[in-house]
Amino acid sequence: MATSIRTTEKNGENPLADRGRLMVHGEDRPGIVAAVSGLLSNHGANIVSLDQYSTDHSGGRFFQRTEFHLKGFAAQREQLEQELEETLRPLGMSWRLTEAQQLKRVAVFASKMDHCLLDLLWRERRGELGMTTTMVVSNHPDLAEEVRSFGVPFFHVPVTKENKPEAERKQVELVRDNVDVVVLARYMQILTGDFLDNVGVPVINIHHSFLPAFMGANPYLKAKERGVKLIGATAHYVTEDLDEGPIIEQDVERVSHADTVTDLVRKGADVERRVLARAVGWHCEDRVFRDGNSTVVFD
Ligand SMILES: Nc1nc2c(c(=O)[nH]1)N[C@@H](CN(C=O)c1ccc(C(=O)N[C@@H](CCC(=O)O)C(=O)O)cc1)CN2
């Protein structure tokens, strides 16, 4: 097993121990930052980073992500949650508290293409992503051996137009209550509204174009036919409307007239990998807030 690059402090301590994250959002009003900072300070926590964004100078929407260190955080969590509820609920704020060392459990869905899936497994193994892949679910058997070589369970759930409802029921049964997020790593099946309603966790997809350009199938062929000078990739939350969910991350790569569709696919694979890794990493570190059909990302 390769050595993880997740470093420990010189004294051998785990830098994520006793590290908490507090995410707060709601209708903006004066005093929220002071209320959150005061509560954490009074509880003996030391704020190590704080990001905040308001959509307007007043009366807009408020988003805040705070990372803090609190010795014995896990043991004090229940008390802290009670204080947060008592303080933030009257301010109309929604909030979520997480422990940094509790890695997000991820189910990766894939089809036959391996580059995004294997990139995530490789980055996880190196400790680059705050996640643990608890399973891979695929509608094809092709990637089973490679996935199992990482020590990750692989479930082959064939999907056809005829069996899609039953196949999705099996997928939900595998995932529900066992993961915190589903990642579609070039998974080539459109998820139904029933699946999205029942899966119970966010779903992240990597689309191989710079959305909203070239939505749907075959974006590289469409890009070649259009004569583009840039290709791109987009990681987004999945909604029932194909490729129209809230965008988390995007990036582009220069191409030229001399590039064939095969060249675009090859160059695009590198963009897809880095965009998906950034998006999944930010989601797993609680850096992404959904704001209607957009996102606020404290990267
Ligand atoms: N409900 C959603 N499902 C999926 C989304 C989404 O945004 N909302 N993104 C896609 C990924 N994708 C492009 O990035 C995509 C995948 C598959 C298809 C498609 O036409 N699939 C056919 C079957 C193709 C096959 O069997 O090989 C289908 O499902 O009928 C279009 C776009 C993932 N899912």
Side-chain angles (χ1 to χ4, degrees), residues 12-28:
E13 280 185 14
N14 173 1
L16 296 181
D18 296 324
R19 177 70 65 98
R21 297 184 189 131
L22 174 60
M23 284 61 71
V24 179
H25 74 273
E27 187 176 327
D28 200 5

Side-chain angles (χ1 to χ4, degrees), residues 161 164 188-191 205 207 236 238-239 242-243:
K161 287 195 188 318
K164 194 162 225 180
M188 300 314 289
Q189 288 294 324
I190 296 174
L191 300 175
N205 178 58
H207 180 71
H236 63 92
V238 171
T239 62
L242 189 62
D243 302 331

Side-chain angles (χ1 to χ4, degrees), residues 5 123 215:
I5 64 166
R123 290 178 189 267
M215 295 166 71

Side-chain angles (χ1 to χ4, degrees), residues 92-144:
M93 290 292 121
S94 300
W95 59 273
R96 189 162 54 88
L97 187 66
T98 63
E99 293 180 47
Q101 64 184 353
Q102 276 185 349
L103 302 182
K104 295 292 189 290
R105 300 164 300 167
V106 178
V108 183
F109 282 30
S111 290
K112 290 186 175 181
M113 281 169 278
D114 60 0
H115 57 288
C116 288
L117 165 63
L118 296 181
D119 185 73
L120 286 175
L121 294 176
W122 181 71
R123 290 178 189 267
E124 175 192 342
R125 189 166 69 178
R126 286 170 50 83
E128 289 181 22
L129 299 173
M131 62 180 261
T132 177
T133 303
T134 55
M135 68 183 78
V136 171
V137 178
S138 179
N139 56 324
H140 295 283
D142 304 48
L143 302 174

